[in-house]
Amino acid sequence: LEFRRVLFRSFEFTDFPNGNCYNRQVPDGPLVNGVLTCNYTGKGGQYTPQNSYSVALDYKQSVFGDWLLLGSLMYNHRSHQLIHDNHDPNMDIPGVGRVDARLGIENRNWSFAFVGKNLTNEKILSYAGNVPLSSSMFGTNTFFAMVERPRQLALEAGYRF
């Protein structure tokens, strides 16, 4: 069993008095070039979970002749994080875990493997923002978001010269 990565962050803005406000946020920052701003001093950053870690189990065993059986199982976790570029609290997503795996055989020249990523098929948002003009033209608070890839399964073959 191998810990590949453990990360704990403590991040906050120390001096960010004139940030862009999210849709319908009450401005509390200074007026900059005729635009009211929002003060993010003391708040955490976007796209920065407080903690994340990966745990991996790697396996290697000689099976016959010069062939090796190789396996890897990995769990990746990250805690909740804010994915909106202007700190909209509606886009503070919960923590999530992903499971990836690889099982294969190889020798000096050949390798064959079955690879799976996001095996639990988690729906993970990675970025969100407001739809342009949704508030100013239509009076709505409409979002768009990017979703990470769903479950991926693949067969892999390789030849080394």
Side-chain angles (χ1 to χ4, degrees):
L1 183 63
E2 172 188 344
F3 273 101
R4 293 213 180 158
R5 178 181 62 226
V6 177
L7 177 63
F8 297 96
R9 288 187 192 120
S10 180
F11 172 87
E12 67 178 42
F13 291 109
T14 56
D15 185 24
F16 192 8
N18 55 349
N20 291 330
C21 300
Y22 61 83
N23 190 5
R24 299 193 175 124
Q25 182 178 8
V26 177
D28 61 352
L31 187 67
V32 177
N33 296 326
V35 176
L36 288 170
T37 63
C38 288
N39 186 356
Y40 293 124
T41 300
K43 295 188 178 185
Q46 311 95 312
Y47 323 111
T48 52
Q50 185 105 36
N51 58 67
S52 63
Y53 61 89
S54 297
V55 178
L57 178 62
D58 292 322
Y59 180 78
K60 183 189 259 187
Q61 176 69 44
S62 180
V63 284
F64 52 90
D66 64 344
W67 287 90
L68 291 174
L69 174 67
L70 305 167
S72 178
L73 181 65
M74 182 182 288
Y75 177 75
N76 300 291
H77 173 82
R78 65 178 179 232
S79 62
H80 78 93
Q81 65 180 324
L82 192 59
I83 61 166
H84 189 276
D85 51 355
N86 291 331
H87 280 81
D88 191 322
N90 289 313
M91 289 295 133
D92 188 350
I93 63 168
V96 65
R98 279 183 36 164
V99 177
D100 299 333
R102 184 176 193 280
L103 181 63
I105 59 170
E106 69 177 39
N107 67 14
R108 190 167 163 260
N109 297 106
W110 289 97
S111 64
F112 303 95
F114 175 73
V115 179
K117 294 184 178 183
N118 192 10
L119 292 174
T120 54
N121 205 26
E122 296 292 330
K123 311 291 188 276
I124 304 168
L125 295 178
S126 60
Y127 174 82
N130 289 96
V131 173
L133 304 177
S134 67
S135 177
S136 60
M137 293 283 292
F138 305 106
T140 65
N141 192 15
T142 307
F143 297 96
F144 68 91
M146 305 293 188
V147 180
E148 290 185 16
R149 292 178 183 232
R151 179 184 301 124
Q152 300 171 67
L153 302 174
L155 292 174
E156 183 181 275
Y159 181 78
R160 291 183 217 49
F161 295 90

